[in-house]
Amino acid sequence: MKDTRIEAGRLRAFMERVYEKEGFTAEQARRIADVLMQADLFGIESHGAQRMMYYHENIASGSVDVSAQAEIVRQTPVSALVDGHFAMGHLTAVTAMELAIEKAKHTGVGMVAVRNSSHYGIAGYYPLMAAREGLAAFSMTNTGPIMVPTFGREMMLGTNPLAFCMPADPYPFWFDASTTVVTLGKVEVYNKRGKPMPEGWTIDGQGHICRDAHAMNASILAGEPGGILPLGGEGETHSGHKGYGLAIMVEALTGVLAQGMVSPDMCGAHGDHTCHFFLAFDPAMFGDAKDIRDRMSGYLKRLRESEKAPGYARIYTPGEKAHEAMADRLANGVPVEANTLLEMQQIARELGVEGL
Amino acid sequence: MKDTRIEAGRLRAFMERVYEKEGFTAEQARRIADVLMQADLFGIESHGAQRMMYYHENIASGSVDVSAQAEIVRQTPVSALVDGHFAMGHLTAVTAMELAIEKAKHTGVGMVAVRNSSHYGIAGYYPLMAAREGLAAFSMTNTGPIMVPTFGREMMLGTNPLAFCMPADPYPFWFDASTTVVTLGKVEVYNKRGKPMPEGWTIDGQGHICRDAHAMNASILAGEPGGILPLGGEGETHSGHKGYGLAIMVEALTGVLAQGMVSPDMCGAHGDHTCHFFLAFDPAMFGDAKDIRDRMSGYLKRLRESEKAPGYARIYTPGEKAHEAMADRLANGVPVEANTLLEMQQIARELGVEGL
């Protein structure tokens, strides 16, 4: 079914209505909506309005605590450990990144580890906050178990994304990627279309390559053996051990460093007790900020202008597709799937707020 | 031909003799030899004694300046910019990581960007220095051009490795990986064996998949179009754009941040004006150091003990193979290829030092 285009302001206002009615303050509702809208504007529909039902259910079940406040457990001029107390992940993460930014402005660098949070939306939202202030930044999170180790067949790691942003023109260098070969969203798309997945994405409970998206989707959601392979695929031939190692690195900087839960202990593919890591720093510590920014912009431009492989008219640099999607969506509305639209109307009815 | 096993102490003493005779001080020679020995002990032969001829030629040609000293150009309590002045990369990198460690001990974190360096050996050596002091650390470097962008066919990025180390028992979590699908060393191995490479490693000058290791090796060394693909392979099906994005991230934190040279401007696959990035931090800022270390060790143990895929008796965690190789090499000697042995004897003759 064709997606419906919804004017961005209308979608944002609906999200704010919903989160206020869920029990958040107007400012909190604005913050949550801003993270979700950024995903939808960037064309990452899996992390925008599409996740509202998931959050709605987590709030209803109490796994997300609407009244909880993130707490700074310990800090130094360059660091903080934050306990989310199971508040909405987006709110805890915004608070944590604001803290990292504030520290980076004072000392040059801010590192913040977060435990007892919940799903925080797109990892890349938070480094963008820093880039707007002229800073470079990282964001990482662990998630519910979904990735099998190299040579393994149990889900022992999350999608464990790593996001990084550095100021540049006409828009920042913006990298946001899971350390799995693909995300669950891709498996879901193949499941909906009834198409076999490419080889090298997932393995089944016996450890054999699995191309059946329907079976894989079901087994992941049930937490059964088998799962998604690391970036680089099966075994070591195409360096699957590198994606696996990157995922452990993310786990080390989130679940381990924040002394929270590691991925295999979480329930559900998205994870309910996630831990995050944020690092912001000021490039001006190393030289003239404008010069560094211009060098970044210039290098990205050279990449885009380099020779293309046959059949490709463009080479993209990370963040380019997202910013082009945003321009389109601000002009023509945000495409929302029919099923997501039904879910939003259901949430509106249940909460007694005005629908879209 | 069978490798010769050389007793580790003898190999180290030879390296120290060579570097003293090249014009370095005894302490500098010890430092260079320690980086090379770590690679050979860890079983990463491509970065140990095998590189001595390359360094010998760089010193002879003057592209490495034996008398140069790394200089701190600017610094804050948490950061430094270092100019290597084309000194031996290992020496500049050890100085830079020592500085990052010192800052991390005082403030909790130290970030050091380095420009005008040269090939610094294995990226993973430097985070190990930090781990020995109970710190976690990153090391990254750009290199000569070798990687093509997603949808491109010109070498616009280096192998651009990322290394990360975090204290754990019985040895640290040690991750060291290029952001290419494979390194040039793997292409060289297939070239020597006359075997076709697996699909998805390299593309030729026209942008088509290339399995001919001989042709690819020659074209890379000549700096011609075509090159090695990013981690994740060709196009976006297996997320080659993620490896490509990670490589740009490394370029942003090295060549761009240090205001030095970016990969496509360097001569030769290894690179002669490389830039590095080091970050060390103290996990104790976030909690009890012993508790965090134990959590790391425990998580790694769970990964190793999780269910194996068919045909595999073990699941490794990053650093395990390297530490097992080291135990073997310390007991039984370091395997050195016949060709490398000949090169070492040639260096000894040219310098007039005692051979192996």
Side-chain angles (χ1 to χ4, degrees):
Chain A
M1 204 182 292
K2 215 172 157 296
D3 293 348
T4 309
R5 290 259 182 176
I6 296 176
E7 195 270 315
R10 246 183 83 208
L11 182 57
R12 183 184 293 268
F14 173 75
M15 289 178 177
E16 293 185 2
R17 274 202 299 284
V18 165
Y19 292 110
E20 281 201 59
K21 197 61 187 266
E22 296 273 21
F24 296 101
T25 67
E27 172 61 14
Q28 288 176 324
R30 193 196 59 73
R31 286 181 166 209
I32 298 167
D34 200 57
V35 181
L36 300 185
M37 280 303 297
Q38 191 68 69
D40 272 326
L41 290 172
F42 272 0
I44 305 163
E45 281 87 5
S46 58
H47 283 62
Q50 195 267 329
R51 283 281 162 91
M52 290 184 76
M53 181 54 88
Y54 168 72
Y55 298 129
H56 181 62
E57 288 167 355
N58 282 352
I59 291 165
S61 75
S63 88
V64 165
D65 182 350
V66 172
S67 62
Q69 295 281 342
E71 178 197 5
I72 301 175
V73 177
R74 56 197 292 167
Q75 64 177 324
T76 75
V78 298
S79 72
L81 174 68
V82 168
D83 192 319
H85 294 304
F86 310 113
M88 190 81 171
H90 315 66
L91 297 177
T92 301
V94 166
T95 299
M97 186 47 107
E98 281 177 345
L99 196 56
I101 289 170
E102 187 194 313
K103 287 175 189 293
K105 284 185 174 176
H106 278 87
T107 68
V109 59
M111 298 175 77
V112 179
V114 178
R115 69 180 171 215
N116 300 330
S117 185
S118 61
H119 192 273
Y120 78 165
I122 48 168
Y125 178 86
Y126 309 99
L128 269 182
M129 291 169 58
R132 266 181 235 118
E133 314 257 356
L135 307 175
F138 289 89
S139 157
M140 303 177 203
T141 188
N142 62 8
T143 76
I146 199 158
M147 187 197 300
V148 296
T150 299
F151 305 151
R153 60 188 171 89
E154 274 186 279
M155 298 187 295
M156 296 295 291
L157 305 116
T159 48
N160 290 12
L162 180 161
F164 174 73
C165 200
M166 179 122 158
D169 298 299
Y171 26 70
F173 170 70
W174 185 74
F175 176 74
D176 180 355
S178 75
T179 50
T180 44
V181 63
V182 288
T183 55
L184 183 56
K186 280 271 178 82
V187 178
E188 283 166 354
V189 167
Y190 276 73
N191 179 24
K192 278 182 190 167
R193 293 189 192 154
K195 279 176 58 179
M197 296 181 288
E199 274 191 33
W201 281 13
T202 72
I203 57 168
D204 65 23
Q206 278 68 52
H208 301 297
I209 282 289
C210 173
R211 302 187 60 190
D212 180 341
H214 181 74
M216 182 47 56
N217 192 50
S219 102
I220 287 173
L221 295 179
E224 290 165 2
I228 299 181
L229 288 160
L231 174 61
E234 195 187 16
E236 296 182 330
T237 308
H238 291 86
S239 294
H241 56 291
K242 295 184 186 175
Y244 165 55
L246 286 168
I248 305 175
M249 180 184 90
V250 171
E251 202 72 50
L253 290 165
T254 57
V256 172
L257 189 64
Q259 305 131 73
M261 204 175 261
V262 290
S263 294
D265 295 328
M266 292 178 201
C267 291
H270 300 308
D272 50 359
H273 288 186
T274 53
C275 296
H276 321 307
F277 176 77
F278 304 98
L279 190 159
F281 71 91
D282 190 351
M285 290 192 292
F286 301 96
D288 179 70
K290 167 105 176 42
D291 177 38
I292 293 170
R293 185 184 184 116
D294 288 348
R295 283 168 184 264
M296 191 72 217
S297 311
Y299 179 59
L300 295 171
K301 188 161 178 281
R302 286 175 66 185
L303 287 169
R304 292 191 292 265
E305 290 176 352
S306 69
E307 290 295 328
K308 315 298 179 286
Y312 293 99
R314 288 179 65 177
I315 289 170
Y316 294 89
T317 49
E320 206 185 2
K321 283 185 183 176
H323 280 84
E324 290 185 3
M326 184 160 70
D328 165 68
R329 280 146 176 76
L330 288 175
N332 306 311
V334 174
V336 179
E337 274 195 333
N339 192 40
T340 300
L341 213 51
L342 287 174
E343 287 178 356
M344 290 197 289
Q345 306 298 24
Q346 186 189 330
I347 292 170
R349 274 196 311 278
E350 287 186 23
L351 293 174
V353 302
E354 191 193 337
L356 258 169
Chain B
M1 204 182 293
K2 216 172 158 294
D3 293 347
T4 308
R5 288 261 184 176
I6 297 176
E7 194 270 316
R10 246 183 84 210
L11 182 57
R12 184 185 293 269
F14 173 75
M15 289 178 177
E16 293 185 3
R17 273 202 301 285
V18 165
Y19 292 109
E20 281 201 59
K21 198 59 187 267
E22 296 273 22
F24 296 100
T25 67
E27 172 60 16
Q28 287 176 325
R30 191 196 60 72
R31 287 182 166 209
I32 297 168
D34 200 58
V35 181
L36 300 185
M37 280 303 297
Q38 192 68 67
D40 272 326
L41 291 172
F42 272 180
I44 306 164
E45 282 88 2
S46 58
H47 284 62
Q50 195 266 330
R51 283 282 162 92
M52 289 185 76
M53 183 53 88
Y54 168 72
Y55 298 129
H56 181 61
E57 289 167 352
N58 282 352
I59 291 166
S61 74
S63 87
V64 165
D65 182 351
V66 172
S67 62
Q69 295 281 341
E71 178 197 5
I72 301 175
V73 177
R74 54 197 293 167
Q75 64 177 322
T76 75
V78 298
S79 72
L81 174 69
V82 167
D83 192 318
H85 294 305
F86 311 113
M88 191 81 170
H90 315 67
L91 297 177
T92 301
V94 167
T95 300
M97 186 48 108
E98 281 177 346
L99 195 56
I101 289 170
E102 187 194 311
K103 288 176 188 293
K105 284 186 173 174
H106 278 87
T107 68
V109 59
M111 299 175 76
V112 179
V114 178
R115 68 179 171 215
N116 299 330
S117 186
S118 61
H119 192 273
Y120 79 165
I122 49 168
Y125 178 85
Y126 309 99
L128 269 182
M129 291 168 58
R132 266 182 233 117
E133 315 257 356
L135 306 175
F138 289 90
S139 157
M140 304 178 203
T141 189
N142 62 7
T143 76
I146 200 158
M147 186 197 300
V148 296
T150 300
F151 305 151
R153 59 188 172 90
E154 275 186 278
M155 298 188 295
M156 296 295 292
L157 305 118
T159 48
N160 290 12
L162 181 160
F164 174 73
C165 199
M166 180 123 158
D169 298 300
Y171 26 69
F173 170 69
W174 185 73
F175 176 74
D176 180 355
S178 74
T179 50
T180 44
V181 62
V182 288
T183 55
L184 183 57
K186 280 271 179 80
V187 178
E188 283 165 354
V189 167
Y190 275 73
N191 179 23
K192 278 182 188 165
R193 292 188 192 154
K195 278 177 58 180
M197 296 181 289
E199 273 190 33
W201 281 14
T202 71
I203 57 168
D204 65 21
Q206 278 69 52
H208 302 297
I209 280 291
C210 173
R211 303 188 59 190
D212 179 342
H214 181 72
M216 182 47 56
N217 193 50
S219 100
I220 288 173
L221 294 180
E224 289 165 2
I228 300 181
L229 289 160
L231 174 61
E234 195 187 17
E236 296 182 331
T237 307
H238 291 87
S239 295
H241 56 291
K242 294 183 186 176
Y244 165 54
L246 285 168
I248 306 176
M249 180 184 89
V250 171
E251 202 71 51
L253 290 165
T254 56
V256 172
L257 190 64
Q259 306 130 73
M261 205 175 260
V262 289
S263 294
D265 294 328
M266 293 179 202
C267 292
H270 301 308
D272 50 0
H273 288 186
T274 51
C275 296
H276 320 308
F277 176 77
F278 304 99
L279 190 159
F281 72 90
D282 190 351
M285 291 192 292
F286 301 96
D288 179 70
K290 168 107 176 38
D291 178 39
I292 293 170
R293 185 184 185 115
D294 289 347
R295 284 169 183 263
M296 191 72 217
S297 311
Y299 179 59
L300 294 171
K301 187 160 179 283
R302 286 174 66 185
L303 286 169
R304 291 191 292 265
E305 290 176 354
S306 70
E307 290 296 329
K308 315 298 179 285
Y312 293 99
R314 290 179 63 177
I315 289 170
Y316 295 88
T317 50
E320 206 184 2
K321 284 185 182 176
H323 281 85
E324 291 185 3
M326 184 160 71
D328 166 67
R329 280 146 177 78
L330 288 174
N332 306 311
V334 175
V336 178
E337 273 195 334
N339 192 41
T340 300
L341 214 50
L342 288 174
E343 288 178 353
M344 289 196 290
Q345 305 298 25
Q346 186 189 331
I347 293 169
R349 275 196 311 277
E350 286 185 21
L351 293 174
V353 301
E354 191 193 338
L356 258 168

